[in-house]
Each structure stands twice: as C-alpha cells, then as structure tokens.
Amino acid sequence: MSELKVKKPSKIDELKAMTPKDRNRAIGDLIMNNAMFIIIAIAVVGIAIAEPSFLSVPSIVNIISLTAAKLPIALGVGGCIILAGTDISAGRQVGLAACIAAGLQLTTNKLFPGLPVMPWYVALLAVMAVGAVVGFVNGFCMAKFKLHPFIVTLSTQLIVYGCILLFLKLGTNAGQTLSGMSQTYQDLIKGTLFRVGNTAVPNYVLYSAIITVIVWVIWNKTTFGKNMYAVGSNEEAANVSGVNVTKTIILVFVMAGVLYAITGFMDASRISSVNATTGLNYESDAIAACVIGGISFVGGIGKVSGAIIGVLLLQVIFTGLTYLSVDQNLLFIVKGVIILVACAIDMRKYLVRK
C-alpha cells in the first residue's frame, strides 16, 4: 500500500493558522529581515520613474559589467566573513595586482626598461602568486598567533600600499600612472563577448561567471568548503570534530588573495590606467555587498548567490544615483549607511535565532 504524501504547509497557510498577534509579529520580522532589499527596491523604482533611461539596454549592460568586475573581490571577502572575520586589505591587494599586471604589459616600460611585453598568462600567474602570498600571511597570522582579522589585515593593508608606492617608483617611472598596455591584453579583458543591440558585453563578464561557478563548487561541494562553514560557525567545535582549523583559515585567505589578484588583473585592462589609488575602498563595496546578500559577520552563514545579489544591488543603486546626477562624494555616505543598516539587520537576525 503506497504511503500518503503529506503536503507541507506554505508560508501563507502558516500565517493563516497563527493568532493575529503572532501573525503581525511574523510579518514584522519578515519585513525587518528583508528591509535592505525593500529599501533598495523602492529606491530603484523611484530612480526609474525619475530617469527612465536608467532601465535602457546600455544602462543594464553597464550594471551587469560593473557587477562582473567587482564580483571576484566580493567572493574573496565573503569567504573571510564566513570565517567570522573580514579583510580590509582587499582593495590595496587589488591595486597591487593591477600595478604588477600593468607593469608586465606596458608597451613602453619605464618600470623595467628593456623588458618586452610579457604574455598575459605570465602576468596573471604573477599577480595570483603575489595575492596568494599576501593571503597566506593574513591567514597564518590569524591562525597561528590568534590575532584579530581587523588588526592583521589593517597591517597588510599598509604594507601592501607601501609596496605599491615603491613599485610605481621603479626604473624611471617616478610614481607616475601606468598606461599604454598591450592591445592583446586589453582585447583579452575588454574585447566584445557579444552584443545586445548596439551595446557590447565585455569578455570579463564571462571570466567573472566562470570564477563564480568555481567558487560555488569550492564552497558547496568540497570538504574544504564544509570545513570553512564549520570553522566560521564554531571554531572550537570544528577543531574537536577533527577539522584542521589552521589549514582552513590559511586556505580561505589564500583563496581570497587569489580572487583579489584576478580582480586587479581585470581592472588594469578595464580602466586602462593604474596608479596608487587603484583599488582604494574596494573592500568597503565588497563588505557592503556581502552583508546585503546575507553573508553574516557572526560566521558560518552565507552563499555565493548572496554575494552576487549584493554586488548587483549595490551597482544598481550607485548607477541609479549617477543617473540622477547625485554628487559622487555622497556615494561614500550612502555606502556607510548601507553597511551600518545591513549589519544592524544582520545582528538582529542573529539575536532572534539565539
């Protein structure tokens, strides 16, 4: 005799079964837990009404392209946040990677006079190696010396920035902006992947999509990914369960460093020039995107899809504000408010669960 399948009640059915008081509380919690999404959705609708061209094809392609450009760094920072930490050196690591990539792709090289343009894959491997080393230093100091992530990454932020300034003074460059990179390198990153009408979608959108899939597989389908969530949820319990906590922390930050390096490699070509300010404050955008997307600072909570949504929403709101001709300096205030509100909502969720 076949077993009868019991249909699981929907959220609406559950609300109907509640008392009016409990129903109001549940609806209030739902609104509060999704407050950032609601606020941003209202803002987007308002911007679209005020400036209809905001929803034009070129605008949408631009938003998708910017999202793709910022997604790797957000995924790197997201892994660190899942460990209940953070990485405020991310932006400077992007800048260093961009400087190295540009320095190896200059057609007239003032940094290394006489050095020919290196193959793009040599530049990519070089920046990934540097990113991995910085990530290893971050992870090792936290795991071995039990230092707070903020202190460690603040230190490496300053160290990396110093390295950028010294790098830009090599040869006869004298700290000047790096530009004039090889056409092969620029075509590799900014070349047309396909067109939507008359608007070109750049190649780096595809690269970012591939990287995102790889990170999703690592986070969700590997032992390392499971260990990362376990360490973030409860480091002591993970250690008792046989997880190599030190190795896991180090590998998370190494992976983050590699993702920052890839971001820098793409950025050097994408913006066509690199200087000491390249990558500045990228980490604030990445942190804001992660928190908006549900990657929690309490540790052990977060998804790749959340990082994607967070980056996309940020780019939508910032692009919309640009369309409204809002003073660019106000964007810093907007970012700060978004981070503060998102973290407050995240902490409220944590206290409710507790």
Side-chain angles (χ1 to χ4, degrees):
M1 194 175 184
S2 61
E3 296 182 3
L4 293 173
K5 292 184 178 180
V6 179
K7 185 180 178 181
K8 187 178 179 181
S10 65
K11 291 289 183 181
I12 296 176
D13 292 332
E14 290 177 1
L15 286 173
K16 288 179 179 179
M18 293 179 180
T19 63
K21 185 177 180 180
D22 289 339
R23 188 183 305 121
N24 291 336
R25 186 185 296 114
I27 293 172
D29 288 342
L30 181 65
I31 293 172
M32 182 60 68
N33 290 339
N34 294 280
M36 281 305 304
F37 294 102
I38 295 170
I39 292 169
I40 291 174
I42 293 171
V44 170
V45 171
I47 292 168
I49 293 172
E51 186 57 61
S53 61
F54 173 59
L55 296 179
S56 64
V57 171
S59 175
I60 293 172
V61 170
N62 180 51
I63 290 170
I64 293 172
S65 299
L66 289 172
T67 300
K70 300 294 179 66
L71 192 52
I73 184 176
L75 292 171
V77 171
C80 302
I81 295 176
I82 287 174
L83 284 181
T86 188
D87 189 348
I88 61 172
S89 69
R92 290 304 185 186
Q93 289 190 57
V94 169
L96 179 60
C99 286
I100 294 172
L104 296 176
Q105 291 296 316
L106 294 174
T107 52
T108 302
N109 204 325
K110 293 182 179 180
L111 291 171
F112 309 105
L115 182 72
V117 175
M118 304 300 291
W120 65 266
Y121 53 84
V122 172
L124 177 59
L125 291 174
V127 299
M128 288 174 67
V130 171
V133 169
V134 177
F136 177 84
V137 171
N138 280 337
F140 183 83
C141 290
M142 291 173 214
K144 282 293 185 182
F145 305 133
K146 304 301 179 184
L147 299 178
H148 195 281
F150 179 85
I151 297 300
V152 175
T153 57
L154 174 63
S155 302
T156 50
Q157 180 192 60
L158 296 172
I159 292 168
V160 170
Y161 183 48
C163 291
I164 292 171
L165 297 176
L166 291 172
F167 183 85
L168 291 174
K169 288 188 175 182
L170 291 175
T172 60
N173 192 61
Q176 297 178 26
T177 296
L178 303 179
S179 58
M181 286 161 267
S182 71
Q183 193 61 45
T184 301
Y185 174 47
Q186 297 202 51
D187 289 343
L188 174 73
I189 305 299
K190 295 192 296 184
T192 301
L193 181 62
F194 60 86
R195 288 185 176 275
V196 180
N198 294 323
T199 307
V201 177
N203 286 332
Y204 62 81
V205 172
L206 174 62
Y207 308 147
S208 184
I210 293 171
I211 292 165
T212 302
V213 171
I214 293 172
V215 172
W216 183 88
V217 171
I218 292 173
W219 283 16
N220 295 281
K221 300 297 180 180
T222 66
T223 301
F224 162 69
K226 294 176 182 177
N227 291 344
M228 178 181 73
Y229 282 100
V231 173
S233 296
N234 190 320
E235 185 176 323
E236 292 182 5
N239 189 40
V240 171
S241 300
V243 175
N244 189 329
V245 173
T246 299
K247 180 180 177 181
T248 300
I249 293 173
I250 290 174
L251 285 178
V252 167
F253 278 87
V254 168
M255 185 171 74
V258 171
L259 289 169
Y260 306 153
I262 293 172
T263 303
F265 179 81
M266 293 194 300
D267 255 24
S269 172
R270 187 176 66 86
I271 61 182
S272 299
S273 64
V274 177
N275 56 39
T277 63
T278 301
L280 179 64
N281 290 326
Y282 275 28
E283 67 277 359
S284 65
D285 290 356
I287 291 170
C290 289
V291 178
I292 289 172
I295 300 179
S296 175
F297 271 104
V298 301
I301 299 171
K303 298 178 181 179
V304 169
S305 58
I308 297 171
I309 293 170
V311 175
L312 178 61
L313 288 176
L314 272 186
Q315 294 308 318
V316 166
I317 196 71
F318 292 157
T319 302
L321 293 176
T322 302
Y323 265 79
L324 294 178
S325 301
V326 172
D327 188 337
Q328 290 294 307
N329 295 321
L330 287 176
L331 293 183
F332 291 103
I333 298 175
V334 173
K335 290 176 187 179
V337 170
I338 287 174
I339 292 173
L340 188 61
V341 173
C343 287
I345 293 171
D346 176 60
M347 186 53 63
R348 182 186 180 281
K349 292 178 184 177
Y350 171 69
L351 292 175
V352 169
R353 284 194 301 269
K354 216 175 173 186

